[in-house]
Amino acid sequence: MDTRPIGVFDSGVGGLTVFKEIRQLLPHEDLIYFGDTARVPYGGKSIKVIQKYSNEISRFLEIQGIKMLVVACNTASALALNRLKNECSVPVIGVIDPGVRAAVKAANGGLIGVIGTRGTINSEAYQKRILRLRSGIEVLAKACPLLVPIVEENVIDSEIARLAIHMYLKDFKKVSSLILACTHYPLLKNVIRDYLGPEVALIDSAEETAIEVKEMLQARRITGDESHIGLDQFFVSDSPESFTEIGEAFLGRPMQGGCFLHSWQNDD
Ligand code: DGL
C-alpha cells in the first residue's frame, strides 16, 4: 500500500478532463493537480520552452511527495514526455500512448484521424506512435488552434463552435476513429459527434489515460488505501479564484481541498 498522492499537470484548466476521469476510476487515491495558468497556452510554444515548463512543474510535484506523475497535457506529452521519464524519480504517464492504443483498436485497420494543438500535430508524436503500433495504417492529422479558446470561453454549444468544427473536420468524415488529442476537445465531443456522425469512433485520451494510471499503480504495487476517501488539491501559477470558477464548470462539482497559488521564482 502506498498512500502518497498522484500528481497531474496541464498547461491550465484543460487537464481537469483527465483529472476527472482519474478521480472517478480511483476514488481512494489522493490527487494533486497543477495548472500552469500563468503560462497557458502551451499549444504554439517551442519544444525548448515546453520542456523547461514541464520540468519545473514535475520538480514542484515531486517535492509534494507524489508517487506517480500524469502529464495531462497533449502538447507537453508530445514534446517533453521522454525527458520527464528520464528525469523523474517516479513513474511518468502521458496521454498519447493510451489514446493511440484505443484509436488503433477502434479503427480496425481503417483511417485514423488526430486533432490537436499546433505543437502536438507538428511534433508528429501521435502519427509516429500510431505507425509504430500498426505499420502501414493511414493517419490524417490536423492542428485546430481555434478549438481551445472556444472551450475556454465556454461557447461549446454555439454556431461558432459548429463553424470551426466544419472548417477543421470537413475531410475527417472518412476516418474510422478520431483521437481528440487535446485536453479541451473532450468537451466538444457532442458537437464533433453531431458533425461526423456515429460511425466515427471518438477517442477521448482522458478516459484511456485514467485506465493506464490504474493499471500502472497495480503493476507497480503502489495502490492506495481502499478505506480512504481520496483528497483533491489544486495548485495554479495564476489567480486561484478564476481557476476555481472555470475548474468547477469543467469538473461539474465544487473543488474541495482548495486551490493554491504557486508563483514561479523568475516571474515578476
Ligand atoms: N493542454 C493543451 C493540450 O492538451 C491545450 C491547451 C494549451 O495550448 O495549452 O495540448
Side-chain angles (χ1 to χ4, degrees), residues 38-39 52 237-238 261-268:
R39 308 191 289 198
K52 176 180 178 283
S237 50
D238 200 352
L261 178 67
H262 172 77
S263 299
W264 299 115
Q265 270 170 2
N266 296 337
D267 291 352
D268 292 328

Side-chain angles (χ1 to χ4, degrees), residues 57-71:
I57 297 167
S58 63
R59 258 187 287 146
F60 170 77
L61 289 171
E62 278 191 284
I63 291 167
Q64 310 308 310
I66 57 169
K67 61 180 171 185
M68 178 185 283
L69 177 68
V70 182
V71 184

Side-chain angles (χ1 to χ4, degrees), residues 10-11 40-43 73-75 117 120 148 182-184:
D10 178 43
S11 52
V40 69
Y42 281 11
C73 171
N74 286 264
T75 309
T117 64
T120 298
V148 166
C182 175
T183 48
H184 290 58

